[in-house]
Structures are given as C-alpha cells and as structure tokens.
Amino acid sequence: FGYTSYIFNTCDNPNSGYAGTAILSQVRPERFIEGWAHDDKEKDTEGRVVTAIFKSNIIVNTYAASSGLAAAGNDFEQKRRTYEKNMRQHIAFLKSNYTQPIQLVGDLNICPTVYDVFDGKTNRDRGVWPACKEWERTLYKQLLRESGFVNVYDELYMVDAKSTGHHTFWQTAWQRALGQGWRLDHTLATPSLLDARRGEAEGKPYIRGIDNLTSVHGSDHCPCMYILYNAAPNSPRIRTDMTEKMDTC
C-alpha cells in the first residue's frame, strides 16, 4: 500500500513490558524521533512515544503509562507522573524548535470527565480507578494549558450525559456489547489545525472530521480516525488511523 513503517520496539529490554508505538505513513517524514526529544538522560525504555516531523505538521503517537489500581504513592503512580512530566517537556521542546502545528494522538489513558466512563456519574468508587483519578485529570488539564492544545473530539462534538459513540475502550466483550466503555484515546492538536477556512485560504494543513470506529473489533480498543487535509497544491490528503494497544513483543 506504499506505507513506510516507523516502529519503536523495545522488546530487547527485559523491563519494557508490553508497550510499543509506531507510525505508518505514505509520506516520508523529515525526521523520526524514538522516545523523548527534550533530554537524552530521560530514556523511554518502554517505547511509549514516537514523533514524526513532516514539512507541514508534526505527529506524536503515544501510549501513556497506567496509574494502576493500588493506593497513592505506588510505583504505577510514580511512573505515570514521570510520563506526564516528560510529555509536557517533549511537547515544549517541539514547540520551541519547530514551527509546524502538532498533533498528539494515541492512548492517553485518561477519562477527562465523568462522562468519559460509562458509570462515572453513578459509581462513587470510580475515582480510585486508573484514568479516573482527580490528580490524573489535573495533569491532563495542565498538559492542555501548557501546550495550548485542544481535544479535537471535544471541539467537534460535545461529550455529556447524552453522548454515545465516544468510548474507545471496553474491559470485556460483554461490556462492549452493553455499551459500557471508556474514552481513553484522544487526539490533541494545535488549535490552528481546526481552522479549515484559514487552512484552505493559506494552503496549510487542517483537520476536518474525527470518528471513533466503534464497530471495528479485534482489540479491547477501537481504532480512532481523523482526516488531516494538506491544503498545499498537489499535496496528498492524509487519513490518520490510530489503532491502540498493538502488542509489539
């Protein structure tokens, strides 16, 4: 199909776990970065982030660390807090060294609101679960604030108590059949990418349309798709598919 694969595989590391990220593209990037870009001392030993620098835009694909179910202060929490710190610094590095708009996509392992998990409003114990803890939501908001990013799905569709079709993860096939899902997978982006009129007028890339392909099975996550138009003359229109939690080991 003409795709080139850029895979960050850490299987040779005995402590890598089951993480791993990749970007498949028909357009060759100018640069491909494995792991964190901001500090050589901060090693991504689990393959949790890859970055493709294209002429007109930047794509960061990630699989965020889970905070775990145990009490506060556990190793999972520390790993998640370290991941969040590194991601903020990674995005800051990209913004300070490149002028292209940025997309951060993948399994961010966060339910930003109570409406992003099926029983978030009724289950009093949900707040101790990974992806639903208040400190995780606070760090997510900090990422948005410091990066200036917007959540593309939230910008195009309002997520509230009446929302359907926005979940991207189900713990079991039975829960999936019942519609008892979570929204863990997100597309965050530079706000200018949502300005289609400006993109068309100035020949710059822009996003038009995003969807969670809930009818596609084969994983506990569903693919997420958005359309990135490159308005420059004779440039391809890129469909970006995110298929989450693909085990690489």
Side-chain angles (χ1 to χ4, degrees), residues 7-234:
I7 302 172
F8 188 11
N9 187 338
T10 60
C11 292
D12 55 348
N13 182 344
N15 298 316
S16 65
Y18 54 82
T21 47
I23 292 175
L24 279 68
S25 177
Q26 291 180 315
V27 180
R28 187 175 296 276
E30 296 181 343
R31 184 184 177 191
F32 179 73
I33 304 171
E34 295 182 351
W36 307 117
H38 61 279
D39 189 348
D40 289 338
K41 296 180 181 179
E42 287 287 354
K43 299 297 184 181
D44 177 7
T45 59
E46 297 184 336
R48 292 196 175 274
V49 60
V50 289
T51 303
I53 312 292
F54 296 96
K55 183 177 181 180
S56 62
N57 67 97
I58 298 172
I59 296 178
V60 182
N61 185 23
T62 190
Y63 172 24
S66 171
S67 65
L69 276 170
N74 64 81
D75 291 342
F76 282 100
E77 178 178 338
Q78 184 56 48
K79 180 182 290 188
R80 177 57 181 263
R81 289 184 181 274
T82 300
Y83 164 88
E84 293 287 347
K85 179 199 69 174
N86 282 324
M87 180 55 74
R88 293 194 302 273
Q89 294 177 354
H90 181 74
I91 297 300
F93 174 90
L94 295 175
K95 291 184 66 178
S96 64
N97 287 275
Y98 299 92
T99 59
Q100 299 95 313
I102 302 171
Q103 305 135 83
L104 171 58
V105 305
D107 180 358
L108 300 188
N109 252 323
I110 184 67
C111 292
T113 73
V114 293
Y115 301 119
D116 292 307
V117 57
F118 70 96
D119 62 353
K121 285 288 288 184
T122 59
N123 187 346
R124 294 181 179 179
D125 296 327
R126 186 57 73 189
V128 302
W129 282 67
C132 300
K133 300 171 185 175
E134 194 57 38
W135 64 263
E136 291 179 284
R137 289 172 171 159
T138 298
L139 290 177
Y140 167 78
K141 294 175 183 176
Q142 182 178 353
L143 172 63
L144 292 181
R145 183 173 63 254
E146 292 185 8
S147 66
F149 290 166
V150 294
N151 188 308
V152 176
Y153 195 96
D154 290 343
E155 291 295 306
L156 298 180
Y157 306 102
M158 180 178 292
V159 175
D160 56 24
K162 299 179 181 179
S163 297
T164 60
H166 62 297
H167 294 150
T168 65
F169 165 79
W170 300 264
Q171 289 183 295
T172 66
W174 176 74
Q175 284 189 316
R176 187 167 190 168
L178 294 176
Q180 297 178 349
W182 308 46
R183 184 169 69 126
L184 300 180
D185 308 274
H186 303 272
T187 298
L188 311 183
T190 304
S192 64
L193 286 171
L194 289 174
D195 191 343
R197 182 175 298 179
R198 176 185 175 188
E200 289 283 4
E202 299 181 6
K204 295 181 179 180
Y206 62 91
I207 293 171
R208 175 171 287 173
I210 187 168
D211 194 14
N212 300 328
L213 307 182
T214 57
S215 63
V216 178
H217 292 249
S219 170
D220 52 355
H221 289 245
C222 72
C224 306
M225 181 188 77
Y226 65 93
I227 308 296
L228 175 66
Y229 284 83
N230 193 340
N234 302 318

